[in-house]
Amino acid sequence: MKSPYVILDRPLITERATILADRKDLPQYVFKVAVDANKIEIRRAVEKAFNVKVKSVNTILFKGKMKRLGRSHGRRSDWKKAFVILEKGQKLDQI
């Protein structure tokens, strides 16, 4: 089993993520996670790292963009975003 800190890269702190986290009924938190992590691994990693109960996990896979600098071409790496919904009454204070 992978460490939760390998699966969870970092929390994404954006305006939308802050609004979702401040909801009273079902708080929702956004993380940048490992590309090869599935929903079950993400759920277990959040529960173990933050000691909370997770209701559901939704993921989005972003494809890296093509970039160029002069004549050289490159590509940004792919990354995955996870929306984690906690059970009623649960909250992450560490973020």
Side-chain angles (χ1 to χ4, degrees), residues 2-86:
K2 297 179 192 173
S3 168
Y5 305 105
V6 172
I7 295 172
L8 300 175
D9 185 19
R10 62 186 173 95
L12 293 178
I13 308 299
T14 61
E15 185 176 357
R16 179 181 180 205
T18 306
I19 291 169
L20 290 174
D22 289 340
R23 290 177 48 186
K24 299 296 181 197
D25 53 346
L26 289 174
Q28 190 171 355
Y29 298 93
V30 185
F31 293 94
K32 182 177 179 185
V33 295
V35 176
D36 60 342
N38 60 34
K39 292 182 181 184
I40 297 168
E41 291 174 336
I42 296 168
R43 173 192 295 262
R44 289 181 183 154
V46 171
E47 287 178 348
K48 188 172 182 182
F50 298 104
N51 197 19
V52 293
K53 287 290 184 186
V54 175
K55 183 175 182 179
S56 67
V57 177
N58 295 318
T59 59
I60 302 171
L61 183 63
F62 290 93
K63 299 293 184 181
K65 296 179 179 180
M66 293 296 295
K67 293 291 179 180
R68 58 179 279 188
L69 182 63
R71 284 190 272 169
S72 61
H73 295 113
R75 179 174 162 82
R76 288 187 182 169
S77 58
D78 298 343
W79 63 285
K80 187 182 268 191
K81 182 193 288 190
F83 291 89
V84 179
I85 301 173
L86 301 181

